[in-house]
Amino acid sequence: MPSDAAAIIRELQKAGFEAYIVGGCVRDSLLKKKPSDWDITTSATPEQVKSLFSVTIDTGIKHGTVTVLKNHVGYEVTTFRVDGTYSDGRHPDKVEFTPSLIEDLKRRDFTINAMAYNDKVGLVDKFGGERDLHKGIIRCVGDPMERFSEDALRMMRAVRFSAQLGFFVDEDTYTAIRKLCANIKKVSAERIAKEFTKLVNSAHPELMQIMYNMELTNYIIPEINPLFAGDANHWHRILAVMSSIEDKDEKRKFDKRAAFLFYDFGGQTASRVLKRLKYDNDTINYVSRLTDLLKRPFESSETEMRRTMNIAGDLMPVLDTIRLNLVLINEGELEVKDIADCQLMYKKIVKRGDAVSISQLKINGDDLMELGIPKGKMIGDTLKYLLDEVIAHPYLNNKQQLSKLALKYKEEVNEKL
Ligand code: ATP
Ligand code: MG
Protein backbone atom coordinates (compact mmCIF):
# COMPACT_ATOMS: atom_id res chain seq x y z
CA MET A 1 0.00 0.00 0.00
CA PRO A 2 1.42 3.45 -0.82
CA SER A 3 2.61 5.23 2.32
CA ASP A 4 0.14 8.07 1.72
CA ALA A 5 -2.82 5.67 1.66
CA ALA A 6 -1.51 4.05 4.85
CA ALA A 7 -1.18 7.51 6.42
CA ILE A 8 -4.81 8.38 5.57
CA ILE A 9 -5.97 5.13 7.15
CA ARG A 10 -3.89 5.75 10.31
CA GLU A 11 -5.22 9.30 10.54
CA LEU A 12 -8.81 8.01 10.41
CA GLN A 13 -8.09 5.27 12.95
CA LYS A 14 -6.46 7.77 15.32
CA ALA A 15 -9.69 9.77 15.23
CA GLY A 16 -11.58 6.63 16.27
CA PHE A 17 -12.90 5.45 12.89
CA GLU A 18 -12.43 2.24 10.95
CA ALA A 19 -10.69 2.53 7.57
CA TYR A 20 -9.50 0.05 4.93
CA ILE A 21 -8.31 -0.05 1.36
CA VAL A 22 -11.04 -1.79 -0.60
CA GLY A 23 -12.17 -3.21 -3.93
CA GLY A 24 -10.01 -3.19 -7.05
CA CYS A 25 -6.75 -2.27 -5.28
CA VAL A 26 -7.03 -5.20 -2.84
CA ARG A 27 -7.84 -7.56 -5.71
CA ASP A 28 -4.94 -6.32 -7.84
CA SER A 29 -2.49 -6.38 -4.92
CA LEU A 30 -3.36 -10.01 -4.19
CA LEU A 31 -2.77 -10.74 -7.89
CA LYS A 32 0.57 -8.90 -7.62
CA LYS A 33 -0.65 -6.40 -10.21
CA LYS A 34 -0.23 -2.66 -9.90
CA PRO A 35 -3.60 -1.15 -8.91
CA SER A 36 -4.78 1.81 -11.01
CA ASP A 37 -5.99 3.65 -7.90
CA TRP A 38 -6.34 3.12 -4.17
CA ASP A 39 -9.86 3.42 -2.79
CA ILE A 40 -10.43 3.72 0.93
CA THR A 41 -13.60 2.82 2.79
CA THR A 42 -14.31 4.19 6.26
CA SER A 43 -16.87 4.43 9.03
CA ALA A 44 -16.33 8.23 9.12
CA THR A 45 -18.97 10.38 7.41
CA PRO A 46 -17.87 12.68 4.56
CA GLU A 47 -18.01 15.68 6.92
CA GLN A 48 -15.79 13.89 9.41
CA VAL A 49 -13.34 12.94 6.67
CA LYS A 50 -13.20 16.54 5.48
CA SER A 51 -12.51 17.86 8.96
CA LEU A 52 -9.49 15.52 9.33
CA PHE A 53 -7.55 16.39 6.16
CA SER A 54 -6.28 19.71 4.89
CA VAL A 55 -6.90 19.21 1.14
CA THR A 56 -10.09 17.43 0.08
CA ILE A 57 -12.41 17.53 -2.92
CA ASP A 58 -16.13 16.82 -2.77
CA THR A 59 -16.14 14.11 -5.44
CA GLY A 60 -19.49 12.54 -4.71
CA ILE A 61 -20.68 13.73 -1.33
CA LYS A 62 -24.15 12.35 -2.04
CA HIS A 63 -22.68 8.86 -2.35
CA GLY A 64 -20.32 9.43 0.55
CA THR A 65 -17.14 10.02 -1.43
CA VAL A 66 -14.51 12.62 -0.61
CA THR A 67 -11.15 12.73 -2.40
CA VAL A 68 -8.21 13.30 -0.09
CA LEU A 69 -5.15 14.77 -1.81
CA LYS A 70 -1.69 13.70 -0.67
CA ASN A 71 1.38 14.72 -2.67
CA HIS A 72 -0.79 15.48 -5.70
CA VAL A 73 -2.37 12.02 -5.67
CA GLY A 74 -6.09 11.71 -4.99
CA TYR A 75 -7.43 8.95 -2.75
CA GLU A 76 -11.18 8.40 -2.84
CA VAL A 77 -12.42 7.95 0.69
CA THR A 78 -15.98 6.61 0.81
CA THR A 79 -18.17 6.14 3.85
CA PHE A 80 -19.42 2.57 4.53
CA ARG A 81 -22.76 2.47 2.79
CA VAL A 82 -25.64 0.26 1.80
CA ASP A 83 -27.42 0.84 -1.46
CA GLY A 84 -31.18 1.03 -1.00
CA THR A 85 -33.63 -0.48 -3.44
CA TYR A 86 -33.03 -0.24 -7.18
CA SER A 87 -36.31 0.44 -8.95
CA ASP A 88 -34.77 1.31 -12.32
CA GLY A 89 -32.16 -1.47 -12.66
CA ARG A 90 -29.47 1.19 -12.88
CA HIS A 91 -28.96 3.22 -9.70
CA PRO A 92 -29.99 2.80 -6.09
CA ASP A 93 -32.98 4.97 -5.17
CA LYS A 94 -30.94 6.27 -2.26
CA VAL A 95 -27.75 5.31 -0.48
CA GLU A 96 -27.50 5.07 3.28
CA PHE A 97 -24.43 5.14 5.46
CA THR A 98 -23.82 2.19 7.76
CA PRO A 99 -21.40 1.57 10.63
CA SER A 100 -20.68 -1.94 9.32
CA LEU A 101 -17.82 -2.75 6.94
CA ILE A 102 -19.46 -6.07 6.10
CA GLU A 103 -22.66 -4.31 4.98
CA ASP A 104 -20.51 -2.15 2.70
CA LEU A 105 -18.72 -5.17 1.23
CA LYS A 106 -22.05 -6.90 0.65
CA ARG A 107 -23.21 -4.23 -1.83
CA ARG A 108 -20.17 -4.78 -4.06
CA ASP A 109 -20.52 -6.69 -7.29
CA PHE A 110 -18.12 -9.66 -7.25
CA THR A 111 -16.39 -11.61 -4.51
CA ILE A 112 -12.96 -10.63 -5.87
CA ASN A 113 -14.00 -6.95 -5.60
CA ALA A 114 -15.45 -7.27 -2.11
CA MET A 115 -12.33 -7.52 0.03
CA ALA A 116 -10.87 -4.90 2.35
CA TYR A 117 -7.51 -4.62 4.06
CA ASN A 118 -5.63 -2.61 6.63
CA ASP A 119 -2.42 -3.32 8.51
CA LYS A 120 -4.21 -3.65 11.84
CA VAL A 121 -6.98 -6.09 10.91
CA GLY A 122 -5.40 -7.72 7.86
CA LEU A 123 -7.54 -9.02 5.00
CA VAL A 124 -11.31 -8.88 5.42
CA ASP A 125 -12.76 -11.43 3.03
CA LYS A 126 -16.31 -12.48 3.96
CA PHE A 127 -17.40 -13.81 0.58
CA GLY A 128 -14.55 -16.02 -0.56
CA GLY A 129 -12.86 -13.41 -2.72
CA GLU A 130 -9.36 -14.78 -2.21
CA ARG A 131 -10.51 -18.32 -2.97
CA ASP A 132 -12.15 -17.12 -6.19
CA LEU A 133 -9.01 -15.20 -7.15
CA HIS A 134 -7.02 -18.41 -6.81
CA LYS A 135 -9.61 -20.42 -8.73
CA GLY A 136 -9.95 -17.72 -11.37
CA ILE A 137 -13.67 -17.18 -10.98
CA ILE A 138 -15.98 -14.19 -11.30
CA ARG A 139 -18.81 -14.75 -8.84
CA CYS A 140 -21.48 -12.40 -7.56
CA VAL A 141 -21.65 -11.43 -3.91
CA GLY A 142 -25.02 -12.91 -2.91
CA ASP A 143 -27.76 -14.01 -5.28
CA PRO A 144 -26.76 -13.23 -8.87
CA MET A 145 -30.37 -12.82 -10.02
CA GLU A 146 -30.87 -10.17 -7.39
CA ARG A 147 -27.55 -8.44 -7.99
CA PHE A 148 -28.03 -8.15 -11.76
CA SER A 149 -31.64 -7.02 -11.30
CA GLU A 150 -30.37 -4.19 -9.10
CA ASP A 151 -27.78 -2.98 -11.57
CA ALA A 152 -27.70 -4.42 -15.09
CA LEU A 153 -24.28 -2.90 -15.83
CA ARG A 154 -22.79 -5.58 -13.59
CA MET A 155 -23.40 -8.09 -16.41
CA MET A 156 -20.99 -6.17 -18.64
CA ARG A 157 -18.60 -5.82 -15.72
CA ALA A 158 -18.61 -9.60 -15.24
CA VAL A 159 -17.51 -10.10 -18.85
CA ARG A 160 -14.99 -7.27 -18.60
CA PHE A 161 -13.32 -8.61 -15.46
CA SER A 162 -13.33 -12.10 -16.93
CA ALA A 163 -11.45 -10.78 -19.98
CA GLN A 164 -9.06 -8.60 -17.99
CA LEU A 165 -8.10 -11.39 -15.61
CA GLY A 166 -8.60 -14.41 -17.87
CA PHE A 167 -11.18 -15.76 -15.38
CA PHE A 168 -14.25 -17.90 -15.91
CA VAL A 169 -17.69 -16.63 -14.98
CA ASP A 170 -19.15 -18.86 -12.25
CA GLU A 171 -22.06 -21.02 -13.40
CA ASP A 172 -24.83 -19.38 -11.34
CA THR A 173 -23.55 -15.93 -12.23
CA TYR A 174 -23.43 -16.93 -15.90
CA THR A 175 -26.94 -18.37 -15.86
CA ALA A 176 -28.33 -15.24 -14.24
CA ILE A 177 -26.77 -13.04 -16.93
CA ARG A 178 -28.23 -15.26 -19.59
CA LYS A 179 -31.67 -14.89 -18.06
CA LEU A 180 -31.47 -11.16 -17.42
CA CYS A 181 -29.42 -9.95 -20.38
CA ALA A 182 -32.29 -7.93 -21.89
CA ASN A 183 -32.07 -5.60 -18.87
CA ILE A 184 -28.82 -4.19 -20.24
CA LYS A 185 -31.07 -1.97 -22.38
CA LYS A 186 -31.79 0.07 -19.26
CA VAL A 187 -28.14 1.09 -18.93
CA SER A 188 -26.85 4.22 -20.64
CA ALA A 189 -24.72 3.82 -23.77
CA GLU A 190 -21.83 5.70 -22.14
CA ARG A 191 -21.57 3.30 -19.21
CA ILE A 192 -21.74 0.29 -21.52
CA ALA A 193 -19.10 1.80 -23.81
CA LYS A 194 -16.71 2.31 -20.91
CA GLU A 195 -16.89 -1.38 -20.05
CA PHE A 196 -16.75 -2.37 -23.72
CA THR A 197 -13.54 -0.37 -24.21
CA LYS A 198 -11.93 -2.11 -21.23
CA LEU A 199 -13.11 -5.46 -22.58
CA VAL A 200 -11.66 -4.88 -26.05
CA ASN A 201 -8.36 -3.61 -24.61
CA SER A 202 -8.10 -6.40 -22.03
CA ALA A 203 -5.52 -9.19 -21.95
CA HIS A 204 -8.15 -11.68 -23.14
CA PRO A 205 -10.54 -9.94 -25.57
CA GLU A 206 -11.19 -13.41 -26.99
CA LEU A 207 -13.38 -13.99 -23.96
CA MET A 208 -15.88 -11.53 -25.39
CA GLN A 209 -17.26 -14.58 -27.14
CA ILE A 210 -19.10 -15.39 -23.91
CA MET A 211 -21.16 -12.24 -24.48
CA TYR A 212 -22.57 -13.98 -27.52
CA ASN A 213 -23.26 -17.21 -25.61
CA MET A 214 -24.94 -15.23 -22.86
CA GLU A 215 -26.97 -13.44 -25.58
CA LEU A 216 -25.76 -10.10 -24.27
CA THR A 217 -24.58 -9.15 -27.77
CA ASN A 218 -28.24 -9.21 -28.90
CA TYR A 219 -28.86 -6.05 -26.92
CA ILE A 220 -25.55 -4.25 -27.36
CA ILE A 221 -23.95 -5.25 -30.66
CA PRO A 222 -26.19 -7.67 -32.54
CA GLU A 223 -24.18 -6.68 -35.63
CA ILE A 224 -21.33 -9.01 -34.59
CA ASN A 225 -23.55 -12.05 -33.94
CA PRO A 226 -22.89 -13.50 -37.42
CA LEU A 227 -19.18 -13.62 -36.56
CA PHE A 228 -19.76 -15.92 -33.60
CA ALA A 229 -22.52 -17.86 -35.33
CA GLY A 230 -20.15 -18.62 -38.21
CA ASP A 231 -16.97 -20.63 -38.64
CA ALA A 232 -15.29 -21.07 -35.25
CA ASN A 233 -11.81 -21.15 -36.75
CA HIS A 234 -12.47 -17.79 -38.31
CA TRP A 235 -13.63 -15.98 -35.18
CA HIS A 236 -10.86 -17.62 -33.16
CA ARG A 237 -8.38 -16.08 -35.55
CA ILE A 238 -10.02 -12.65 -35.49
CA LEU A 239 -10.01 -12.57 -31.69
CA ALA A 240 -6.45 -13.92 -31.55
CA VAL A 241 -5.35 -11.07 -33.78
CA MET A 242 -7.21 -8.56 -31.61
CA SER A 243 -5.49 -9.78 -28.48
CA SER A 244 -2.07 -9.53 -30.14
CA ILE A 245 -2.45 -5.83 -30.97
CA GLU A 246 -0.78 -3.48 -28.53
CA ASP A 247 -0.36 0.29 -28.49
CA LYS A 248 1.04 2.52 -25.76
CA ASP A 249 -1.94 4.77 -26.42
CA GLU A 250 -4.99 2.96 -24.95
CA LYS A 251 -7.33 4.82 -27.28
CA ARG A 252 -5.45 3.77 -30.41
CA LYS A 253 -5.20 0.24 -29.09
CA PHE A 254 -8.99 0.16 -28.93
CA ASP A 255 -9.31 1.65 -32.43
CA LYS A 256 -7.01 -0.93 -33.97
CA ARG A 257 -8.52 -3.88 -32.13
CA ALA A 258 -12.05 -2.72 -32.97
CA ALA A 259 -11.15 -2.47 -36.68
CA PHE A 260 -10.41 -6.21 -36.62
CA LEU A 261 -13.56 -6.97 -34.66
CA PHE A 262 -15.58 -5.33 -37.44
CA TYR A 263 -13.38 -6.75 -40.21
CA ASP A 264 -16.15 -8.98 -41.60
CA PHE A 265 -18.76 -6.24 -41.52
CA GLY A 266 -17.07 -3.12 -42.90
CA GLY A 267 -16.63 0.48 -41.82
CA GLN A 268 -20.30 1.41 -42.08
CA THR A 269 -21.29 -1.20 -39.53
CA ALA A 270 -18.41 -0.19 -37.26
CA SER A 271 -19.55 3.41 -37.46
CA ARG A 272 -23.19 2.52 -36.72
CA VAL A 273 -22.27 0.48 -33.64
CA LEU A 274 -19.85 3.03 -32.23
CA LYS A 275 -22.29 5.88 -32.81
CA ARG A 276 -25.01 3.99 -30.97
CA LEU A 277 -22.61 3.41 -28.07
CA LYS A 278 -21.89 7.18 -28.11
CA TYR A 279 -18.16 6.93 -28.82
CA ASP A 280 -16.48 10.22 -29.79
CA ASN A 281 -16.20 11.23 -33.44
CA ASP A 282 -12.45 10.64 -33.61
CA THR A 283 -12.92 7.01 -32.57
CA ILE A 284 -15.84 6.49 -34.95
CA ASN A 285 -13.89 7.90 -37.90
CA TYR A 286 -10.65 6.16 -37.11
CA VAL A 287 -12.21 2.73 -36.62
CA SER A 288 -14.52 2.88 -39.61
CA ARG A 289 -11.76 4.12 -41.94
CA LEU A 290 -9.29 1.52 -40.70
CA THR A 291 -11.91 -1.24 -41.02
CA ASP A 292 -12.45 -0.34 -44.67
CA LEU A 293 -8.72 -0.04 -45.34
CA LEU A 294 -8.16 -3.56 -44.01
CA LYS A 295 -10.65 -4.74 -46.63
CA ARG A 296 -8.71 -3.26 -49.55
CA PRO A 297 -7.12 -5.83 -51.83
CA PHE A 298 -3.34 -5.95 -51.73
CA GLU A 299 -1.67 -3.65 -54.22
CA SER A 300 -0.01 -5.30 -57.18
CA SER A 301 1.59 -2.18 -58.65
CA GLU A 302 3.13 1.03 -57.39
CA THR A 303 0.24 2.98 -58.87
CA GLU A 304 -2.21 0.94 -56.83
CA MET A 305 -0.06 1.47 -53.76
CA ARG A 306 -0.08 5.25 -54.30
CA ARG A 307 -3.91 5.11 -54.57
CA THR A 308 -4.12 3.28 -51.27
CA MET A 309 -1.72 5.81 -49.72
CA ASN A 310 -3.92 8.62 -51.00
CA ILE A 311 -7.05 7.11 -49.47
CA ALA A 312 -5.39 6.02 -46.22
CA GLY A 313 -3.67 9.35 -45.60
CA ASP A 314 -2.51 9.54 -41.98
CA LEU A 315 -3.61 5.91 -41.41
CA MET A 316 -1.18 4.49 -43.97
CA PRO A 317 1.67 3.73 -41.51
CA VAL A 318 -0.85 1.99 -39.24
CA LEU A 319 -2.32 -0.01 -42.11
CA ASP A 320 1.19 -0.93 -43.24
CA THR A 321 2.07 -2.41 -39.85
CA ILE A 322 -1.15 -4.16 -38.86
CA ARG A 323 -1.88 -5.66 -42.24
CA LEU A 324 0.37 -8.60 -41.59
CA ASN A 325 -2.36 -9.89 -39.28
CA LEU A 326 -4.61 -10.45 -42.28
CA VAL A 327 -2.45 -13.41 -43.25
CA LEU A 328 -3.51 -15.11 -40.05
CA ILE A 329 -7.18 -14.33 -40.57
CA ASN A 330 -7.23 -15.41 -44.20
CA GLU A 331 -5.12 -18.50 -43.75
CA GLY A 332 -4.36 -20.20 -47.03
CA GLU A 333 -5.65 -17.35 -49.17
CA LEU A 334 -3.05 -14.72 -48.34
CA GLU A 335 0.67 -15.23 -48.11
CA VAL A 336 3.16 -13.36 -46.00
CA LYS A 337 4.98 -12.69 -49.25
CA ASP A 338 1.98 -10.73 -50.63
CA ILE A 339 2.19 -8.38 -47.70
CA ALA A 340 5.96 -8.23 -47.68
CA ASP A 341 5.81 -7.11 -51.32
CA CYS A 342 3.33 -4.36 -50.42
CA GLN A 343 5.47 -3.25 -47.52
CA LEU A 344 8.53 -3.00 -49.75
CA MET A 345 6.59 -1.01 -52.36
CA TYR A 346 5.29 1.34 -49.71
CA LYS A 347 8.79 1.95 -48.30
CA LYS A 348 10.16 2.64 -51.76
CA ILE A 349 7.42 5.16 -52.58
CA VAL A 350 7.85 6.99 -49.27
CA LYS A 351 11.60 7.12 -49.77
CA ARG A 352 11.26 8.51 -53.29
CA GLY A 353 8.68 11.00 -52.11
CA ASP A 354 6.12 10.35 -54.88
CA ALA A 355 3.12 12.64 -54.58
CA VAL A 356 0.06 10.87 -53.17
CA SER A 357 -1.93 13.91 -52.05
CA ILE A 358 -2.95 17.23 -53.56
CA SER A 359 -0.68 19.15 -51.21
CA GLN A 360 2.31 17.33 -52.71
CA LEU A 361 1.54 18.48 -56.27
CA LYS A 362 4.02 20.95 -57.73
CA ILE A 363 1.14 23.23 -58.66
CA ASN A 364 -1.55 24.85 -56.52
CA GLY A 365 -4.91 26.61 -56.83
CA ASP A 366 -3.33 30.05 -57.30
CA ASP A 367 -1.18 28.75 -60.15
CA LEU A 368 -4.27 27.30 -61.80
CA MET A 369 -6.15 30.60 -61.54
CA GLU A 370 -3.22 32.34 -63.19
CA LEU A 371 -3.62 29.88 -66.05
CA GLY A 372 -7.19 31.12 -66.41
CA ILE A 373 -9.00 28.28 -64.70
CA PRO A 374 -12.14 29.69 -63.06
CA LYS A 375 -12.30 29.96 -59.27
CA GLY A 376 -14.46 27.52 -57.30
CA LYS A 377 -15.34 23.94 -58.03
CA MET A 378 -13.30 23.83 -61.23
CA ILE A 379 -10.05 24.40 -59.30
CA GLY A 380 -10.78 21.46 -56.98
CA ASP A 381 -11.77 19.23 -59.88
CA THR A 382 -8.61 20.11 -61.79
CA LEU A 383 -6.37 19.40 -58.80
CA LYS A 384 -8.06 16.02 -58.35
CA TYR A 385 -7.57 15.22 -62.00
CA LEU A 386 -3.90 16.21 -61.81
CA LEU A 387 -3.32 14.09 -58.72
CA ASP A 388 -4.89 11.14 -60.47
CA GLU A 389 -2.47 11.57 -63.37
CA VAL A 390 0.51 11.99 -61.04
CA ILE A 391 -0.43 8.90 -59.03
CA ALA A 392 -0.31 6.93 -62.28
CA HIS A 393 2.79 8.74 -63.64
CA PRO A 394 4.92 10.33 -60.91
CA TYR A 395 7.30 11.90 -63.45
CA LEU A 396 4.49 14.31 -64.43
CA ASN A 397 4.82 16.11 -61.10
CA ASN A 398 6.46 19.32 -62.30
CA LYS A 399 4.89 22.69 -62.85
CA GLN A 400 5.35 22.80 -66.60
CA GLN A 401 3.77 19.40 -67.29
CA LEU A 402 0.98 20.00 -64.80
CA SER A 403 0.14 23.39 -66.36
CA LYS A 404 -0.15 21.73 -69.76
CA LEU A 405 -2.35 18.96 -68.33
CA ALA A 406 -4.53 21.47 -66.52
CA LEU A 407 -5.24 23.39 -69.70
CA LYS A 408 -5.99 20.15 -71.56
CA TYR A 409 -8.43 19.18 -68.81
CA LYS A 410 -10.11 22.61 -69.03
CA GLU A 411 -10.61 22.16 -72.77
CA GLU A 412 -12.07 18.69 -72.27
CA VAL A 413 -14.52 19.97 -69.70
CA ASN A 414 -15.54 22.90 -71.92
CA GLU A 415 -16.13 20.56 -74.84
CA LYS A 416 -18.46 18.43 -72.75
CA LEU A 417 -20.53 21.45 -71.69
P1 ATP B 1 -10.64 -0.95 -12.16
O1 ATP B 1 -9.26 -1.48 -12.00
O2 ATP B 1 -11.16 -1.17 -13.53
O3 ATP B 1 -10.84 0.44 -11.67
P2 ATP B 1 -12.23 -1.61 -9.91
O4 ATP B 1 -12.55 -2.91 -9.25
O5 ATP B 1 -11.50 -0.60 -9.11
O6 ATP B 1 -11.51 -1.92 -11.25
P3 ATP B 1 -14.27 0.35 -10.17
O7 ATP B 1 -15.30 0.50 -11.23
O8 ATP B 1 -13.22 1.41 -10.05
O9 ATP B 1 -13.61 -1.06 -10.39
O10 ATP B 1 -15.06 0.19 -8.80
C1 ATP B 1 -14.42 0.14 -7.55
C2 ATP B 1 -15.13 -0.87 -6.66
O11 ATP B 1 -16.47 -0.46 -6.43
C3 ATP B 1 -15.23 -2.27 -7.25
O12 ATP B 1 -14.08 -3.03 -6.96
C4 ATP B 1 -16.47 -2.81 -6.57
O13 ATP B 1 -16.18 -3.22 -5.25
C5 ATP B 1 -17.36 -1.58 -6.46
N1 ATP B 1 -18.26 -1.40 -7.62
C6 ATP B 1 -18.04 -0.65 -8.72
N2 ATP B 1 -19.08 -0.69 -9.56
C7 ATP B 1 -19.99 -1.47 -9.00
C8 ATP B 1 -21.32 -1.90 -9.35
N3 ATP B 1 -21.87 -1.52 -10.50
N4 ATP B 1 -21.98 -2.70 -8.48
C9 ATP B 1 -21.43 -3.07 -7.31
N5 ATP B 1 -20.21 -2.71 -6.92
C10 ATP B 1 -19.49 -1.93 -7.73
MG1 MG C 1 -11.06 1.45 -9.77
Side-chain angles (χ1 to χ4, degrees), residues 100-155:
S100 156
L101 168 68
I102 303 303
E103 283 302 312
D104 180 273
L105 295 177
K106 229 191 240 170
R107 72 169 169 91
R108 294 172 185 272
D109 46 8
F110 307 112
T111 57
I112 58 166
N113 288 345
M115 291 179 279
Y117 173 91
N118 69 24
D119 291 331
K120 217 162 88 183
V121 179
L123 185 70
V124 180
D125 176 18
K126 267 274 171 227
F127 308 102
E130 205 182 9
R131 175 203 61 207
D132 287 345
L133 268 187
H134 284 303
K135 284 195 184 167
I137 287 177
I138 308 293
R139 184 200 313 270
C140 282
V141 174
D143 174 14
M145 287 297 282
E146 228 169 78
R147 303 315 308 281
F148 293 128
S149 304
E150 288 168 357
D151 178 1
L153 183 72
R154 289 172 188 155
M155 301 191 280

Side-chain angles (χ1 to χ4, degrees), residues 266-329:
Q268 242 184 341
T269 302
S271 162
R272 173 155 32 97
V273 170
L274 296 173
K275 256 186 212 149
R276 194 175 60 232
L277 289 175
K278 305 242 168 81
Y279 276 89
D280 59 282
N281 285 333
D282 176 71
T283 305
I284 297 167
N285 285 329
Y286 197 104
V287 176
S288 60
R289 282 175 59 211
L290 194 54
T291 306
D292 283 337
L293 287 170
L294 287 174
K295 278 302 213 195
R296 277 179 80 78
F298 290 157
E299 298 74 14
S300 55
S301 70
E302 292 198 348
T303 298
E304 280 175 23
M305 178 52 83
R306 284 187 291 267
R307 289 236 154 78
T308 296
M309 289 166 71
N310 168 250
I311 290 165
D314 57 321
L315 292 188
M316 191 59 213
V318 178
L319 177 66
D320 181 56
T321 49
I322 66 174
R323 242 181 174 184
L324 207 52
N325 292 301
L326 292 175
V327 177
L328 191 68
I329 294 176

Side-chain angles (χ1 to χ4, degrees), residues 80-94:
F80 294 163
R81 62 171 224 230
V82 281
D83 297 341
T85 47
Y86 288 71
S87 32
D88 61 357
R90 280 177 294 157
H91 337 86
D93 300 326
K94 65 171 198 277

Side-chain angles (χ1 to χ4, degrees), residues 23-25 27-28 36-37 39 107-109 113-114 147 151 153-154 157 160-161 164 191 198:
C25 61
R27 176 198 69 223
D28 290 345
S36 54
D37 40 32
D39 294 330
R107 72 169 169 91
R108 294 172 185 272
D109 46 8
N113 288 345
R147 303 315 308 281
D151 178 1
L153 183 72
R154 289 172 188 155
R157 286 174 60 87
R160 184 261 277 194
F161 284 116
Q164 281 182 328
R191 289 177 79 205
K198 288 183 181 176

Side-chain angles (χ1 to χ4, degrees), residues 23-36 109-115 129-139 156-170 195 198-208 210 257:
C25 61
V26 178
R27 176 198 69 223
D28 290 345
S29 300
L30 287 170
L31 288 170
K32 302 202 168 25
K33 284 188 180 186
K34 196 171 171 272
S36 54
D109 46 8
F110 307 112
T111 57
I112 58 166
N113 288 345
M115 291 179 279
E130 205 182 9
R131 175 203 61 207
D132 287 345
L133 268 187
H134 284 303
K135 284 195 184 167
I137 287 177
I138 308 293
R139 184 200 313 270
M156 272 303 281
R157 286 174 60 87
V159 178
R160 184 261 277 194
F161 284 116
S162 151
Q164 281 182 328
L165 303 169
F167 282 17
F168 287 109
V169 177
D170 156 75
E195 294 298 328
K198 288 183 181 176
L199 169 61
V200 168
N201 278 2
S202 69
H204 301 278
E206 67 276 10
L207 288 178
M208 79 162 63
I210 62 171
R257 287 184 171 199

